[in-house]
Amino acid sequence: MSIFTPIESGAPLILTVPGLGGSGPSHWQTLWEQSRPDTTRVELGMWNTPHRNAWVTKLDQAIRQAQAPVVLAAHSLGCLAVAWWAELTSQPFGYPVAGALLVAPADVERSEAPELAAFRPTPSKPLPFPSILVASTDDPWIGIDRAKGLAAQWGSHFVDAGAQGHINAASGIGWWEEGQELLDRVLDAASDRGGRPRNAGEARSLLAVNATEAAQSHYLGAG
């Protein structure tokens, strides 16, 4: 679990941001919401017919209503909603969004995915908060090289999760302990144990070191 608890003053609130179709009862986002008192879902609505501006507006409302620093745990098209929110709001570094875990972002530029066209073009500006982007080598919604390219554009630390499909319920990962480990790395990078926000250089340096250790431990089998 995180170094933060819900009763700590200024502790980040974790908001999950699902993708197309929402996240069902066996999805790791749903399981996190049920097991972590600091975690809640952003109800974007229009789950099967997503509209970029509507989703970004809903996300913005949830972030503003949190009245605390926010860490986003996004999946698939939800990652694009996060990137568009960052592009359109131009927040200062680290607040109100203190960090993000971006999992299996969908490639909205693919011609064979017209249902994602409303989110084109893909935002390209660096995100104004520390982030980890996790992708699978056999994800049908994005190629691994494309995912690496998005991480580079957004300034995210990239983690290769191996062959995990779309990193969802169908991947058989359940509660996804590896993802929880990476989420805690984002929380560590967002603030020190006293609740002090980290600056951009400090956050990204710490994130790169800690996220690499987490990835090696869980995905590469290293000690």
Side-chain angles (χ1 to χ4, degrees), residues 1-14 32-40 66-69 184 187:
M1 296 293 286
S2 163
I3 62 171
F4 300 102
T5 68
I7 60 173
E8 289 182 7
S9 176
L13 175 66
I14 299 164
W32 289 10
E33 293 155 13
Q34 294 171 346
S35 62
R36 295 186 63 129
D38 58 354
T39 303
T40 189
Q67 298 183 334
D184 281 347
L187 289 165

Side-chain angles (χ1 to χ4, degrees), residues 9-176:
S9 176
L13 175 66
I14 299 164
L15 297 180
T16 62
V17 188
L20 183 69
S23 294
S26 299
H27 196 284
W28 57 266
Q29 287 180 314
T30 305
L31 298 177
W32 289 10
E33 293 155 13
Q34 294 171 346
S35 62
R36 295 186 63 129
D38 58 354
T39 303
T40 189
R41 175 172 300 192
V42 180
E43 293 295 342
L44 300 173
M46 304 172 64
W47 292 114
N48 295 314
T49 55
H51 187 277
R52 186 194 73 188
N53 291 348
W55 273 26
V56 170
T57 297
K58 290 284 190 180
L59 178 58
D60 186 67
Q61 290 172 347
I63 291 168
R64 305 299 172 184
Q65 291 169 2
Q67 298 183 334
V70 167
V71 169
L72 303 171
H75 180 255
S76 193
L77 193 59
C79 299
L80 276 297
V82 169
W84 270 114
W85 178 87
E87 182 109 354
L88 296 172
T89 58
S90 301
Q91 74 158 33
F93 186 86
Y95 191 86
V97 174
L101 177 64
L102 307 171
V103 182
D107 184 1
V108 300
E109 307 293 343
R110 295 164 64 241
S111 59
E112 61 269 33
E115 64 271 43
L116 309 182
F119 284 75
R120 298 173 188 163
T122 302
S124 58
K125 292 182 181 178
L127 301 176
F129 41 78
S131 60
I132 295 174
L133 191 153
V134 188
S136 165
T137 56
D138 61 350
D139 190 334
W141 290 92
I142 191 168
I144 192 68
D145 289 337
R146 173 64 171 158
K148 289 178 180 178
L150 288 184
Q153 289 179 349
W154 295 345
S156 303
H157 181 80
F158 181 76
V159 171
D160 183 338
Q164 298 252 20
H166 197 40
I167 316 183
N168 55 8
S171 301
I173 55 178
W175 193 73
W176 195 32

